[in-house]
């Protein structure tokens, strides 16, 4: 059998005299569409326009890739309402087409009945997509096929970071501590709904109420319900399955919520100072409204001992490496009453809104928002395309 080389493709620098061109892609088909638009607005505001040319591309809720206005001010939460790509699109029908050949990075804009217009080459994509159809490895695979470098993790790490079940399985295999959980897959629910429900009830019997019922593949706390007893279980399952047919049920872990950011530097990943999410007061837990609408404040840096800080930073980098992540990760932990850290999950594309914890943790660690965005773009430009 003949051997075949799978060496990574070299990164092609932009022509002399031209700034690298960054396509910021946002919106998408997931329930996190609106918060993705908010995040992209903050990134567009921070990108150094003397160092980079920028092309904003929004994906509508129904999947159309639209050319959008480069207007961060219209991409913020207003009157407790999230923005959307349809409000920013320059046309109701025009579509942006990415290249599908590794040697061609020209982006084309097409309107029905008009001659397609070449928008120029793109050197790197900043995919500000949250949730399925973006953060889960789908756009990463598309960009890998096109040979276009991008910010953040590749296909595998993105998929693992989106699926809470397999994320926990990977962490366990690398010796990272995780809390008790059980998973109900779509086929199990469809085959025998009563048996699937009984498994959740048995899990609660083993670990105690309350439990958290979650979509297995969603973010921004969408679809999560804290269930205090049997009476609330069916409604919680229905809410989780509204976002994802696969659900995960987690035991309540009593302790402090601690987060830590990981960022790829030239010499490898480093961890930020950690943050603490204080106990929710107006909300039952740290849900979507607490995070994004009511601007719940985290404490940065977290009031931990030096030993605890070192420990959570070590675990965050280990989680980054275990899932083969690149670029950035926010790792979320519980500091139990016993003093042990348990990792809850990672986010391979955490929020970048002005109140998001990831940028705040790095700012406290000496990396301001514009530098953070610049480091992520430069890290993507350094990486080769293809297998690596």
């Amino acid at each position: 059998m003949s051997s075949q080389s799978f060496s990574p493709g070299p990164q092609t620098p932009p022509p002399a005299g031209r700034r690298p061109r960054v396509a910021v892609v946002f919106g998408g088909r997931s329930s996190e569409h609106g918060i993705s638009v908010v995040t992209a607005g903050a990134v567009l505001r921070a990108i150094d326009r003397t160092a980079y040319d920028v092309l904003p591309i929004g994906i509508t809720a129904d999947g159309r890739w639209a050319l959008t206005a480069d207007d961060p001010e219209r991409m913020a939460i207003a009157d407790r309402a999230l923005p959307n790509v349809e409000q920013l699109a320059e046309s109701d029908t025009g579509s942006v087409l990415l290249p599908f050949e590794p040697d061609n990075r020209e982006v084309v804009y097409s309107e029905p009945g008009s001659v397609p217009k070449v928008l120029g080459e793109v050197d790197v994509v900043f995919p500000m997509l949250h949730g399925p159809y973006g953060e889960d490895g789908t756009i990463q695979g598309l960009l890998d096929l096109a040979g276009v470098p991008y910010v953040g993790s590749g296909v595998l790490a993105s998929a693992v970071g989106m699926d809470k079940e397999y994320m926990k399985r990977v962490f366990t295999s690398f010796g990272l501590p995780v809390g008790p959980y059980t998973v109900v897959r779509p086929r199990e629910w469809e085959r025998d709904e009563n048996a699937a429900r009984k498994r959740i009830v048995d899990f609660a019997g083993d670990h105690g109420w309350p439990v958290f019922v979650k979509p297995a593949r969603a973010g921004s706390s969408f679809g999560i319900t804290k269930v205090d007893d049997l009476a609330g279980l069916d409604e919680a399952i229905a809410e989780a399955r509204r976002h994802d047919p696969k659900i995960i049920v987690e035991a309540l872990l009593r302790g402090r919520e601690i987060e830590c950011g990981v960022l790829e530097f030239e010499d490898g990943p480093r961890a930020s100072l950690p943050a603490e999410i204080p106990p929710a007061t107006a909300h039952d837990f740290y849900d979507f409204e607490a995070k994004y609408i009511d601007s719940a404040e985290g404490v940065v840096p977290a009031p931990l001992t030096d030993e605890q800080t070192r420990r959570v930073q070590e675990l965050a980098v280990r989680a980054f490496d275990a899932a083969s992540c690149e670029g950035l990760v926010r790792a979320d932990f519980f500091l139990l009453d016993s003093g042990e850290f348990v990792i809850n999950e990672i986010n391979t594309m955490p929020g970048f809104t002005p109140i998001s914890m990831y940028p705040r943790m790095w700012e406290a660690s000496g990396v301001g928002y514009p530098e953070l965005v610049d480091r992520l773009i430069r890290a993507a430009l350094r990486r080769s395309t293809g297998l690596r």
Side-chain angles (χ1 to χ4, degrees), residues 41-371:
V43 170
L44 286 170
R45 194 178 292 110
I47 289 179
D48 182 357
R49 303 307 177 99
T50 66
Y52 305 103
D53 289 330
V54 178
L55 177 66
I57 300 174
I59 302 177
T60 63
D62 61 2
R64 178 172 64 93
W65 291 51
L67 189 63
T68 68
D70 185 2
D71 189 356
E73 301 309 314
R74 293 170 55 198
M75 302 168 72
I77 297 172
D79 298 325
R80 300 177 68 87
L82 292 167
N84 60 64
V85 168
E86 286 81 356
Q87 297 167 342
L88 300 160
E90 295 193 351
S91 164
D92 293 334
T93 56
S95 296
V96 174
L97 306 176
L98 289 183
F100 287 96
E101 300 173 7
D103 295 329
N104 175 21
R105 292 185 181 174
E106 286 191 338
V107 175
V108 175
Y109 180 69
S110 176
E111 279 273 12
S114 301
V115 176
K117 179 173 65 176
V118 176
L119 299 178
E121 292 189 349
V122 165
D123 299 295
V124 62
V125 171
F126 204 137
M128 300 309 308
L129 297 165
H130 301 305
Y133 313 111
E135 191 181 349
D136 58 351
T138 49
I139 193 172
Q140 290 77 14
L142 176 68
L143 294 172
D144 281 340
L145 285 173
V148 179
Y150 51 89
V151 170
S153 292
V155 174
L156 174 65
S158 298
V160 167
M162 185 90 283
D163 191 310
K164 294 177 175 61
E165 175 193 2
Y166 287 98
M167 181 197 309
K168 292 176 188 291
R169 289 182 181 273
V170 167
F171 290 159
T172 300
S173 70
F174 277 82
L176 291 160
V178 303
Y181 69 95
T182 189
V183 173
V184 179
R185 298 184 179 89
R187 289 180 186 174
E188 296 175 272
W189 191 261
E190 293 158 7
R191 185 169 56 240
D192 191 338
E193 184 175 318
N194 289 331
R197 186 177 184 278
K198 182 178 183 301
R199 183 145 59 82
I200 298 173
V201 173
D202 290 345
F203 175 83
D206 292 338
H207 299 283
W209 300 94
V211 297
F212 288 90
V213 179
K214 304 179 177 183
R217 296 162 294 191
S220 295
S221 298
F222 277 112
I224 298 177
T225 306
K226 181 183 178 184
V227 183
D228 294 313
D229 52 40
L230 192 60
L233 183 59
D234 288 345
E235 185 178 349
I237 292 171
E239 172 62 13
R241 284 177 54 81
R242 192 169 67 85
H243 294 269
D244 185 352
K246 176 179 174 180
I247 65 173
I248 185 167
V249 181
E250 297 174 348
L252 173 69
L253 297 178
R254 300 189 184 280
R256 299 161 61 187
E257 291 190 52
I258 306 295
E259 298 184 347
C260 189
V262 181
L263 178 64
E264 182 181 344
F265 285 74
E266 290 80 358
D267 60 352
R270 301 183 200 170
S272 70
L273 288 171
E276 180 169 7
I277 306 302
T281 52
H283 301 266
D284 201 23
F285 61 97
Y286 194 45
D287 61 5
F288 175 82
E289 290 220 349
K291 288 179 180 179
Y292 297 111
I293 304 299
D294 293 335
S295 305
E297 287 293 328
V299 180
V300 186
L304 301 172
T305 66
D306 290 345
E307 181 181 350
Q308 288 171 330
T309 297
R310 284 192 296 270
R311 176 60 175 162
V312 77
Q313 288 174 325
E314 174 205 350
L315 289 172
V317 173
R318 283 177 57 190
F320 183 95
D321 287 335
S324 299
C325 296
E326 295 170 287
L328 72 164
V329 148
R330 193 195 72 231
D332 301 344
F333 298 86
F334 288 102
L335 175 55
L336 305 184
D337 295 341
S338 64
E340 177 189 11
F341 279 103
V342 170
I343 187 164
N344 185 41
E345 64 181 43
I346 57 172
N347 278 263
T348 56
M349 188 53 70
F352 266 78
T353 69
I355 60 170
S356 295
M357 296 309 300
Y358 184 85
R360 289 184 58 201
M361 287 187 288
W362 277 108
E363 185 174 10
S365 305
V367 180
Y369 196 101
E371 182 186 351

